[in-house]
Amino acid sequence: MTTQNQSFNADISRLLDIVANALYTNHDIFLRELISNSADACDRLRYDAITKPELIADNPNFRIHIHKDTETRTLTIIDNGVGMNKKELTDNLGTIAKSGTASLMEKMSKTKEQKDRLNLIGQFGVGFYASYMVADRVTVISRKAGSKSIWVWESDGRSGFEVRNASANEKELLDGDRGTVVILNIKDEGSEFLLDEKIKQTVQQYSDNINIKIFLNTSDETDKGEGQPINSASALWARPKSEITKEQYDEFYRHITHGFDEPQMTSHWHAEGKIEYTALLFLPTMRPWDLYDPSRKSSVRLYIRRVMIADDLDGLMYPWLRFVRGIIDSEDLPLNINRESLQYNPVLAKIRTGITKRILSDLDKLSRDEPHAFITFWGQFGSALKEGLYDAVEHRDAIFKVCRFYSTHEDGEKFVSLSEYVKRMKDGQNEIYYISGENTEALKNSPQIEGFKSRNIEVMFFTDTIDDFWLQQVEDFQGKKFKSVTKGDINLDDNDNKDNDKDNGKSNESSEKINKLSERLKEILKEDVENVRPSKRLTNSPVCLVASESGVDMHMERVLKIHQQYSGETKPILEINEDHPLIKKLATLSHNDNNNENFNDAAQLLLEQARIIQGESLKDPAGFAKRMSFFMEKGLM
Ligand code: ADP
Ligand code: MG
């Protein structure tokens, strides 16, 4: 007999420590995780058997057996799925596939509430280790389908594990010529799982809709009599909608997400016609921890005529719908080609179009029928969905329909849609005004929107990073162009009913002064700004910065630079408010005393305060502080 001892790497040791001490956690989930692994193993072999039917010829019915032994305090789960060879036992049960998982889990385990989140262990791809919540030793006996050798993995969940050949007794435990046996040595905390009733109830609660039969052998012996089936073992999605309860849908959702929450939205339909498929899709309530992990794939499972093909097939879902969970079961796709070529099958593209349309129209419906649920959804997933605005032009209109933003309307407390905005546009207004920035709070007080607010012209707030990306690709909504209020020249009075025309009564003399001031400021600040000009945007603030018509918005420039999508350097335009006392004073000063020694510093300070309001950094903070102190000192005297 060959035995190999290996120690767990640091990641797993830490994880096991957390799991073993997870006092506040719901222990039931270990069984759900083990059953889910067994069901996956059956699904995988069912797929392999399409091309190699001999793999299951002697033992064609997939199934899972569970039994307990109160004498030896063991709980055993047996499946006749694909099984594992020696290398797979070592790799799959001895390492963590995703890097960073363990440290993330450790962070989560710091407080009591977070410990509860260990319930989500299955979502991290480490569900197997949940066994150590109830067991102090786990033995896994496995025979890979088509292979002769039988291997055993065993560990107390502390220092490490051993892998060895199976003994004659252990070989006996397998269900026929393949599959996996997981034996748990139940510790005190897990005693309830030595009761048939508890096992049965747990399976029914969490695994009823698994489409593999699960049997409970209630005799205390380890014989493999059939036992009694304890789940319904039919594909839930294949049943008529009218026969499925909300509880069953929710349970199925929890099964596929390894979660405990309820879906925000459930869509179940059967498409017929040119292509035929069934879809059962869910929107989760909570954003998954890796939504923005670039390696994250969509997690909608693809079945072909009830056979599981893949759980993250590229091309089935758009990446911007990667938060959607559920299953698609196709009647038309060929079963006997490999997963890679499936991606390029035109039927798959048609299915993708069909489900995308349906999800977007269901979301639109949700926004009308259940605005609260919709807003929760939007807060969690809106920014991912908006990637579709540039990624999938053909769905852009439907995506826009469900997009929500804050705006100056009702003081920015309420989400508005673009069509609401368009409906509220003023007579003569042809553009959708927006300002983009870090957050609504800061944007609300931007000097650039003062003139809009005073004229009651609504401005949209675009606060997601992604907004600056789609705005580069998308010109208009319903023929109305998107227009940044921090860019280019804006003549608000064109939109106005001329009732508060600012220029009325302005003397030639004062506008001449202002023009001169602009010229002089421009000369002083020419290193940093492209131009200085009187503003139509400002009402309260003395100055603001805007981008030139052909330039890039300052916020957008910053965002693009962070994402290394832009390397240019554009000088902004400094706009001055000719009605502001400070600007008036400077204009007079500049007019009367061309050589005032403080004028240069005042010019710098104007630019610096405009940059600060904008959230930009200062080129020379020390110089700024000096100038500021100087003027403060004078002002306080
Ligand atoms: P996940 O299921 O998310 O991959 P787990 O920790 O539950 O994470 O399982 C790790 C891996 O171990 C699985 O991906 C699978 O390859 C393997 N495995 C676990 N249980 C079984 C089983 N009963 N039969 C075959 N392979 C299994
Ligand atoms: Mg698992």
Side-chain angles (χ1 to χ4, degrees):
M1 186 186 272
T2 56
T3 303
Q4 278 174 14
N5 288 300
Q6 292 195 34
S7 31
F8 288 123
N9 63 19
D11 269 3
I12 298 199
S13 299
R14 257 189 297 166
L15 171 64
L16 283 167
D17 231 34
I18 299 165
V19 171
N21 296 310
L23 301 176
Y24 306 104
T25 305
N26 179 358
H27 288 167
D28 295 2
I29 59 156
F30 86 89
L31 193 52
R32 177 176 79 172
E33 293 303 329
L34 293 181
I35 290 175
S36 140
N37 285 347
S38 289
D40 286 351
C42 292
D43 275 338
R44 260 181 279 158
L45 182 57
R46 194 184 266 151
Y47 175 78
D48 292 347
I50 297 166
T51 44
K52 292 186 199 135
E54 65 279 8
L55 287 178
I56 59 167
D58 294 339
N59 188 350
N61 297 320
F62 291 101
R63 61 197 172 194
I64 298 168
H65 283 274
I66 303 176
H67 64 79
K68 57 111 216 287
D69 184 335
T70 40
E71 295 280 287
T72 56
R73 291 186 63 85
T74 51
L75 178 69
T76 307
I77 294 119
I78 304 168
D79 67 65
N80 61 353
V82 69
M84 285 175 275
N85 59 27
K86 185 184 176 195
K87 183 171 186 318
E88 286 165 332
L89 276 172
T90 312
D91 291 352
N92 298 347
L93 305 182
T95 51
I96 295 186
K98 266 195 184 156
S99 63
T101 306
S103 60
L104 193 103
M105 292 203 57
E106 188 173 44
K107 239 187 262 158
M108 293 194 351
S109 70
K110 289 272 157 62
T111 70
K112 183 188 170 300
E113 281 86 30
Q114 283 169 329
K115 264 193 178 136
D116 291 337
R117 290 167 72 178
L118 257 188
N119 290 340
L120 306 180
I121 186 164
Q123 293 179 358
F124 298 94
V126 289
F128 170 78
Y129 299 109
S131 318
Y132 290 97
M133 289 179 184
V134 296
D136 48 21
R137 168 165 294 275
V138 179
T139 309
V140 181
I141 306 157
S142 200
R143 178 171 172 188
K144 175 114 177 166
S147 141
K148 288 212 161 46
S149 41
I150 303 174
W151 291 93
V152 178
W153 178 102
E154 193 166 274
S155 169
D156 60 5
R158 267 176 272 220
S159 49
F161 60 93
E162 63 174 45
V163 175
R164 55 175 164 80
N165 294 111
S167 68
N169 284 346
E170 286 169 332
K171 288 179 184 175
E172 276 294 297
L173 295 171
L174 284 168
D175 179 356
D177 58 356
R178 62 169 194 261
T180 301
V181 179
V182 178
I183 305 170
L184 307 179
N185 253 303
I186 300 293
K187 54 185 180 182
D188 285 348
E189 293 96 300
S191 294
E192 55 182 338
F193 292 99
L194 294 171
L195 302 171
D196 287 332
E197 245 341 278
K198 175 69 183 175
I199 300 169
K200 192 169 157 185
Q201 175 229 322
T202 311
V203 171
Q204 283 170 346
Q205 185 178 352
Y206 296 114
S207 311
D208 195 39
N209 288 311
I210 286 201
N211 59 340
I212 308 280
K213 265 212 160 65
I214 303 174
F215 296 91
L216 180 64
N217 299 58
T218 43
S219 72
D220 264 6
E221 288 105 69
T222 51
D223 73 69
K224 273 180 263 125
E226 260 309 77
Q228 32 160 325
I230 51 174
N231 69 334
S232 32
S234 75
L236 182 76
W237 63 90
R239 290 195 233 155
K241 260 174 104 158
S242 56
E243 289 174 15
I244 307 174
T245 63
K246 178 177 182 310
E247 283 65 38
Q248 285 171 316
Y249 278 130
D250 290 358
E251 194 40 62
F252 188 74
Y253 164 77
R254 288 191 277 263
H255 159 61
I256 55 171
T257 58
H258 299 260
F260 281 86
D261 56 336
E262 278 180 24
Q264 191 79 252
M265 184 174 97
T266 302
S267 300
H268 182 197
W269 77 97
H270 184 74
E272 271 170 1
K274 281 210 191 93
I275 46 165
E276 194 178 342
Y277 63 89
T278 302
L280 174 51
L281 299 177
F282 302 95
L283 288 186
T285 22
M286 269 176 5
R287 189 192 291 204
W289 60 288
D290 59 347
L291 186 64
Y292 289 101
D293 179 344
S295 63
R296 183 190 160 87
K297 294 192 162 190
S298 128
S299 29
V300 170
R301 282 190 164 187
L302 178 69
Y303 286 75
I304 299 178
R305 292 184 286 287
R306 249 78 58 220
V307 177
M308 218 270 281
I309 305 298
D311 43 21
D312 55 3
L313 189 75
D314 281 332
L316 177 62
M317 298 293 287
Y318 281 110
W320 44 276
L321 289 175
R322 59 190 176 275
F323 48 84
V324 175
R325 308 299 301 264
I327 68 98
I328 303 291
D329 191 351
S330 158
E331 300 293 326
D332 312 298
L333 284 166
L335 254 178
N336 51 0
I337 64 171
N338 64 29
R339 295 185 182 101
E340 287 65 38
S341 12
L342 213 49
Q343 281 176 47
Y344 308 107
N345 192 297
V347 172
L348 197 76
K350 289 200 178 110
I351 294 178
R352 180 179 59 219
T353 303
I355 47 190
T356 304
K357 281 187 181 158
R358 172 67 183 241
I359 292 169
L360 290 171
S361 81
D362 281 357
L363 275 173
D364 181 43
K365 194 166 171 302
L366 187 73
S367 76
R368 280 176 278 120
D369 298 350
E370 295 172 55
H372 277 295
F374 178 80
I375 289 304
T376 310
F377 157 79
W378 185 254
Q380 297 290 313
F381 302 109
S383 52
L385 193 79
K386 282 188 284 188
E387 293 168 17
L389 290 172
Y390 58 79
D391 194 49
V393 180
E394 64 277 30
H395 297 290
R396 187 178 287 165
D397 291 343
I399 299 173
F400 265 141
K401 228 173 165 178
V402 298
C403 282
R404 296 292 183 274
F405 306 94
Y406 286 115
S407 83
T408 51
H409 185 66
E410 294 181 2
D411 211 17
E413 296 306 325
K414 209 180 129 229
F415 270 130
V416 298
S417 69
L418 285 167
S419 46
E420 283 171 292
Y421 179 98
V422 169
K423 260 185 235 144
R424 282 196 290 263
M425 276 172 40
K426 295 208 132 191
D427 283 348
Q429 182 185 344
N430 294 316
E431 290 166 320
I432 297 173
Y433 294 117
Y434 73 86
I435 179 165
S436 76
E438 304 305 309
N439 61 67
T440 315
E441 271 323 297
L443 291 182
K444 264 192 206 166
N445 300 319
S446 299
Q448 292 95 338
I449 65 169
E450 289 171 357
F452 292 85
K453 284 202 288 199
S454 71
R455 288 169 177 79
N456 254 327
I457 302 171
E458 184 172 359
V459 178
M460 288 289 214
F461 296 148
F462 289 158
T463 51
D464 272 329
T465 304
I466 193 70
D467 294 328
D468 288 299
F469 286 88
W470 66 258
L471 280 163
Q472 292 184 89
Q473 313 276 328
V474 185
E475 290 219 320
D476 68 294
F477 169 75
Q478 295 181 352
K480 315 279 184 224
K481 287 217 157 46
F482 290 102
K483 168 85 181 153
S484 164
V485 304
T486 60
K487 192 175 142 180
D489 206 5
I490 286 188
N491 194 352
L492 286 174
D493 298 321
D494 278 356
N495 293 318
D496 244 355
N497 300 332
K498 302 281 177 209
D499 47 40
N500 55 358
D501 195 351
K502 285 176 79 178
D503 290 328
N504 280 353
K506 224 154 249 170
S507 71
N508 280 341
E509 194 201 345
S510 74
S511 65
E512 200 182 309
K513 268 197 207 162
I514 285 295
N515 288 340
K516 268 184 148 167
L517 174 67
S518 304
E519 284 305 316
R520 189 154 170 218
L521 288 173
K522 186 177 162 186
E523 184 51 34
I524 297 170
L525 301 172
K526 65 172 183 265
E527 294 281 298
D528 300 305
V529 302
E530 188 191 289
N531 196 7
V532 178
R533 67 183 179 209
S535 181
K536 307 226 169 46
R537 294 175 172 83
L538 295 169
T539 58
N540 300 325
S541 306
V543 285
C544 71
L545 285 169
V546 300
S548 68
E549 190 60 54
S550 59
V552 181
D553 251 331
M554 293 177 79
H555 179 255
M556 186 186 273
E557 184 177 319
R558 191 151 21 108
V559 168
L560 296 184
K561 276 189 173 157
I562 290 168
H563 292 84
Q564 274 141 32
Q565 302 233 342
Y566 185 77
S567 59
E569 188 74 60
T570 40
K571 286 188 196 170
I573 295 168
L574 181 70
E575 290 198 345
I576 56 177
N577 179 358
E578 52 194 302
D579 294 328
H580 194 280
L582 174 61
I583 300 296
K584 281 185 176 162
K585 202 164 183 180
L586 277 173
T588 312
L589 185 71
S590 167
H591 186 73
N592 298 342
D593 176 4
N594 219 358
N595 296 318
N596 187 299
E597 53 187 11
N598 298 330
F599 193 85
N600 276 14
D601 280 347
Q604 290 296 347
L605 272 176
L606 279 183
L607 174 62
E608 281 162 338
Q609 66 165 296
R611 289 187 70 94
I612 289 173
I613 294 172
Q614 199 96 340
E616 299 288 325
S617 56
L618 295 180
K619 269 191 173 171
D620 175 19
F624 165 74
K626 227 161 106 189
R627 287 185 274 278
M628 179 82 166
S629 312
F630 173 76
F631 280 104
M632 277 177 81
E633 196 194 325
K634 286 192 124 187
L636 288 171
M637 286 223 283

